[in-house]
Amino acid sequence: MIRRMMPTHNCEVLRKKFRGCLLGSLLGDCLGAPFEGDFISAGEKIVIKNYFDKLETPDFKGPIKQYTDDTAMTRCVAKALIDKPEPDFTLMAKLFVKEYFLEPKRGYGQNVITVFKKLKQSRFQDIFKPASEQFNGSGSLGNGGAMRIAPLALYFFDKDDLLVDAATKATKITHTHPLGVNGALLQCMAIQQCFMTKHGDKIDVHKFVEELLHKMKPFEYEEDEDFEEILEKPYREKLLLIQNLLHRTYENDELYDEVLETLGNNISALESVPTAIYCFLKACAETPEMKDIFRNAVEYAITLGGDTDTIASMTGAIAGAYVGEEHLNKNVIENCEKHKETIEMADNLLAARQEETAEMKNS
Ligand code: F2R
Ligand code: MG
Ligand code: MG
């Protein structure tokens, strides 16, 4: 993996980015949830735009937007790190299961519920075994690992090897299929790259994709020119498609259909993580003002339909880590469930990370 310089973020910027990322993930989930599973017509795209406009109106108060499994599990990952700064994956698994049985009606995937039940029955003896047995041993390729990974990307923002190890283990508690795991790694890397961008600097979207292509290489099969082996590099292929789509600057229905056909919008990690990255990069490429990037990215993610809560949540985590809390609309934040607790959680996660760093320096 690429070794890079520590960012020169001061404490204020670190806090803005931690909060921006976790609030971004929450907002995407809460705003996308009402549309999950929908096909979005041209008329509904206008309804979604009006929905955002209304939520952004100062002092608008509607029914609080409820979060789903995406946020419930993200909160568990963050809590595990806050409680035990040296990552404890058994604790993480216990928190997932406890949370599910407390509030089972948050829209969890069918397979993951079976994993939770098996984990509980086995008393967490081997936390990776239940997930590895699913789908005749191939494991889940759903986006459930990627949708909850943001706290780890923040916590290990400057420690590539630890990040890969921790994100892999955190994902394998429920998702052992390589596509499920690599989707979580790609989501982590996208958040990490945004996090490392100097606050206020514009992103070069093409370089952003190049860097992701480079970082994903060790996790996918290599080309063997001598033997003409079949290539298996599904995420890198999606990243190449993103590069291609980003060269298309005009907006029309054809491009919209092409995004759905090539990147996808469903609950598999392969057909949702690259889509979220594209939603973010498209907004960066087309939005002149930093203050509008988050909204444009998340609104576009929802207009794609399909797995709207999850794609919008992953887009929100990436965009929020880039723009920081200050460029998320305050009124929209206040209309989402547990927004205050999310801010507190982001601050506690940053404090846990700072304590861990101080302890390492002193030991
Ligand atoms: N589950 C949902 N949405 C369904 C509707 C919810 C409804 N609104 C409600 O309120 O009840 N959303 C959430 O699930 C997605 C994340 O899923 P996760 O955590 O990856 O779950 P799971 O169960 O592991 O996988 C999901 C489905 O994918 C298919 N699948 C996975 N691996 C497979 C494999 N190897 N072979 C074949 N199929 C595989 C299965 O159908 C799984 O049930 C997010 O959208 C989140 O919001
Ligand atoms: Mg959900
Ligand atoms: Mg979903």
Side-chain angles (χ1 to χ4, degrees):
M1 298 207 70
I2 302 179
R3 284 263 157 236
R4 73 176 73 68
M5 300 287 287
M6 278 278 284
T8 51
H9 301 330
N10 61 35
C11 277
E12 193 48 33
V13 171
L14 283 173
R15 187 160 59 242
K16 282 178 184 171
K17 283 183 171 269
F18 269 64
R19 286 183 179 189
C21 178
L22 295 192
L23 280 170
S25 172
L26 172 74
L27 265 53
D29 183 20
C30 290
L31 300 178
F35 305 94
E36 193 184 21
D38 288 358
F39 167 79
I40 308 291
S41 65
E44 277 155 341
K45 284 183 201 162
I46 298 168
V47 170
I48 292 169
K49 185 185 178 306
N50 293 342
Y51 166 72
F52 272 80
D53 286 344
K54 200 163 80 176
L55 282 168
E56 285 185 352
T57 310
D59 303 325
F60 169 82
K61 288 274 170 293
I64 289 295
K65 305 277 164 210
Q66 307 281 306
Y67 66 75
T68 75
D69 57 330
D70 305 52
T71 300
M73 296 192 83
T74 302
R75 292 175 59 79
C76 293
V77 174
K79 187 167 172 15
L81 290 168
I82 292 164
D83 290 355
K84 289 265 184 76
E86 182 75 31
D88 178 338
F89 299 98
T90 302
L91 171 64
M92 204 177 278
K94 286 180 178 170
L95 291 172
F96 289 154
V97 171
K98 187 175 166 199
E99 176 62 34
Y100 168 71
F101 282 100
L102 268 177
E103 291 196 294
K105 292 196 173 138
R106 290 277 185 186
Y108 287 87
Q110 278 310 309
N111 159 74
V112 95
I113 295 173
T114 308
V115 173
F116 294 151
K117 289 179 179 165
K118 284 186 175 181
L119 281 166
K120 196 176 180 195
Q121 275 161 8
S122 68
R123 294 170 186 265
F124 304 91
Q125 236 174 10
D126 177 349
I127 56 163
F128 303 114
K129 190 163 176 266
S132 71
E133 291 167 349
Q134 298 306 107
F135 300 101
N136 295 321
S138 70
S140 173
L141 45 72
N143 53 21
M147 75 187 185
R148 63 180 187 242
I149 214 68
L152 276 166
L154 295 174
Y155 193 77
F156 290 118
F157 67 85
D158 58 341
K159 298 179 177 180
D160 290 347
D161 297 341
L162 291 180
L163 175 58
V164 167
D165 183 59
T168 303
K169 287 178 179 151
T171 302
K172 282 189 166 177
I173 297 170
T174 50
H175 294 66
T176 59
H177 194 292
L179 289 177
V181 175
N182 284 352
L185 292 182
L186 180 59
Q187 172 69 4
C188 259
M189 288 161 186
I191 293 173
Q192 190 198 29
Q193 275 179 209
C194 283
F195 188 88
M196 302 300 270
T197 307
K198 194 165 165 244
H199 201 45
D201 271 10
K202 276 262 167 202
I203 274 184
D204 178 328
V205 295
H206 298 288
K207 277 196 189 146
F208 192 95
V209 182
E210 282 296 336
E211 202 172 335
L212 288 178
L213 275 163
H214 178 78
K215 287 182 191 161
M216 283 307 287
K217 214 171 173 187
F219 307 105
E220 296 191 311
Y221 293 125
E222 277 306 310
E223 190 173 354
D224 192 336
E225 285 168 9
D226 292 344
F227 297 99
E228 293 180 5
E229 299 249 337
I230 298 165
L231 302 177
E232 283 199 59
K233 46 174 194 171
Y235 282 102
R236 277 179 291 163
E237 273 164 18
K238 291 280 187 193
L239 289 167
L240 293 173
L241 290 169
I242 291 177
Q243 270 187 332
N244 194 326
L245 288 165
L246 287 171
H247 282 293
R248 310 261 299 275
T249 49
Y250 57 91
E251 181 64 80
N252 60 15
D253 289 347
E254 211 178 293
L255 178 60
Y256 177 85
D257 290 343
E258 200 176 322
V259 171
L260 291 183
E261 270 164 35
T262 58
L263 300 182
N265 66 351
N266 64 46
I267 57 170
S268 72
L270 185 63
E271 303 240 335
S272 58
V273 177
T275 313
I277 294 170
Y278 172 69
C279 293
F280 164 65
L281 293 175
K282 181 178 191 293
C284 284
E286 295 174 359
T287 312
E289 298 270 358
M290 193 69 104
K291 69 176 175 53
D292 299 322
I293 289 177
F294 180 85
R295 173 189 164 158
N296 289 352
V298 172
E299 183 183 325
Y300 181 74
I302 297 172
T303 63
L304 290 176
D307 195 0
T308 47
D309 62 335
T310 306
I311 299 176
S313 180
M314 295 191 293
T315 304
I318 300 168
Y322 171 50
V323 300
E325 181 196 17
E326 78 222 73
H327 294 304
L328 271 58
N329 184 281
K330 222 169 158 260
N331 211 58
V332 178
I333 293 172
E334 284 170 6
N335 275 277
C336 291
E337 188 184 7
K338 291 220 170 133
H339 64 274
K340 284 188 189 142
E341 291 85 342
T342 301
I343 292 172
E344 201 182 323
M345 192 165 252
D347 292 352
N348 289 340
L349 186 66
L350 174 57
R353 167 57 217 262
Q354 285 168 330
E355 275 168 33
E356 169 78 355
T357 308
E359 267 174 35
M360 275 172 66
K361 276 186 187 154
N362 292 336
S363 64

